[in-house]
Amino acid sequence: MSDQRRSWYEAGARERVAALVDAASFTEYVGPERREISPHLRLFDLPAQFDDGIVVGAATLGGKPILVAAQEGRFMGGAFGEVHGAKLTGLLRAAKATARDVVIAFDTGGVRLQEANAGEVAIAEIMRALIEARLAQVRVVGLIGGRAGCFGGGGLIAGCCSTLIVSEQGRISVTGPEVIETNKGVEEFDSRDRAFVWRTMGGKHRMLIGGADVFVDDDAAAFRDAALAALDRPVRLDLDTLAAEQARLERRIARFGGAADATQIWSALGIDRPQAVPDLPAADFAALAATRRESADDAR
């Protein structure tokens, strides 16, 4: 690793994999030479990409064998289609079979509208494979800090991970800002208000309400260090875990359900100057979150 800082937000999928894993350790599965691309896009005269927008393979991280996936947010917004989803499903099934932990770099707007049915099926298959891998004592670590964020079915998959690592740029939600505005009106959610969008869906808010587990700066080395630490966390997923998280979410709705803005939630968490949170440097925010955030229960 170079001492020069590299932005996770600005990087592409292959650059993220290269920055994340040990040097020269990555072996790609279903690589570019296979030309496994979506059969649906050509029906709409849309461009295809040689890897269908996702890189999957095996590598080592800190000397430990892992499986790794990275979505390319600059192709179709990192959206899930049939081939894209199948590659991630296969990787998670391989993780269960080989007892290897998995690291996934999310960067997705959800499911491709052009292959919606195949994409929705893919989301369900990925979630099943992820849960089965976790029940087999495999850690699944999610990294979120890319341009496209993590929306739609990607948000559901991320919520199933054993650990989520997020930067300030890492927006997480099932429904995106424009979709909410379209269906509920601009008075309910103004998607053009970028500060409001970030306060509601951005990494800092998700960290404070237990929607993510680790907050890092927009730096590839920081993501790598956090992923290394996450691979040492205990493996846990059982009914007691899920029941505890369900109870926490019910308490959260009762406590914050009437809040009109994230700053009201931050104030209720005991943060003295909630309006200052968006401008806090990453290190200062991480220190604040360590004392004020809601803790999740290995599920969210």
Side-chain angles (χ1 to χ4, degrees):
M1 295 287 291
S2 166
D3 292 335
Q4 184 178 2
R5 172 173 167 158
R6 284 178 285 184
S7 169
W8 189 264
Y9 180 82
E10 297 291 347
R14 293 176 185 277
E15 294 170 307
R16 290 180 184 139
V17 170
L20 179 70
V21 304
D22 298 340
S25 71
F26 180 64
T27 299
E28 186 167 355
Y29 297 156
V30 199
E33 75 283 358
R34 296 282 300 274
R35 307 293 295 180
E36 294 286 353
I37 59 178
S38 168
H40 303 280
L41 298 180
R42 69 171 68 97
L43 300 176
F44 298 93
D45 198 25
L46 291 170
Q49 182 160 301
F50 56 86
D51 57 11
D52 208 47
I54 187 168
V55 181
V56 300
T60 62
L61 178 55
K64 179 177 182 179
I66 64 165
L67 299 179
V68 61
Q71 294 179 291
E72 180 52 74
R74 290 178 290 194
F75 174 68
M76 304 292 292
F80 288 87
E82 182 176 356
V83 173
H84 186 114
K87 290 172 72 174
L88 186 52
T89 300
L91 192 78
L92 290 162
R93 289 175 178 168
K96 176 186 175 184
T98 61
R100 285 196 186 189
D101 294 337
V102 183
V103 179
I104 305 172
F106 291 98
D107 198 2
T108 179
V111 168
R112 294 175 194 167
L113 297 179
Q114 300 83 2
E115 43 187 313
N117 291 342
E120 297 289 358
V121 170
I123 296 295
E125 291 177 338
I126 293 165
M127 292 173 64
R128 175 182 290 274
L130 195 159
I131 295 301
E132 289 178 347
R134 288 194 60 188
L135 289 172
Q137 306 300 299
V138 169
R139 298 172 184 81
V140 183
V141 179
L143 313 177
I144 302 176
R147 286 173 174 268
C150 189
F151 290 100
L156 297 175
I157 296 167
C160 297
C161 289
S162 47
T163 302
L164 270 189
I165 299 164
V166 67
S167 67
E168 182 169 10
Q169 291 78 5
R171 292 145 295 142
I172 307 171
S173 182
V174 174
T175 306
E178 290 80 8
V179 177
I180 298 175
E181 180 182 315
T182 299
N183 287 279
K184 293 293 186 180
V186 68
E187 293 182 355
E188 175 73 15
F189 201 101
D190 186 353
S191 65
R192 296 167 300 178
D193 185 344
R194 310 314 291 173
F196 175 64
V197 170
W198 248 258
R199 286 199 306 275
T200 307
M201 302 174 174
K204 285 180 174 174
H205 183 56
R206 293 307 185 199
M207 181 67 185
L208 287 171
I209 63 171
D213 306 288
V214 182
F215 185 86
V216 297
D217 205 354
D218 176 36
D219 181 5
F223 272 98
R224 173 184 161 90
D225 291 344
L228 270 168
L231 293 177
D232 285 333
R233 293 182 60 166
V235 179
R236 186 182 68 171
L237 181 63
D238 52 31
L239 282 178
D240 289 343
T241 299
L242 297 178
E245 183 63 8
Q246 176 66 24
R248 185 183 76 88
L249 295 177
E250 291 174 357
R251 291 194 302 272
R252 191 168 79 183
I253 290 176
R255 187 180 181 189
F256 304 131
D261 192 283
T263 54
Q264 296 174 7
I265 296 175
W266 302 344
S267 179
L269 289 171
I271 296 174
D272 293 334
R273 298 177 59 240
Q275 292 79 8
V277 168
D279 295 326
L280 285 176
D284 293 347
F285 173 77
L288 173 71
T291 61
R292 296 300 182 189
R293 71 181 292 264
E294 282 196 334
S295 295
D297 298 277
D298 291 337
R300 59 200 66 78

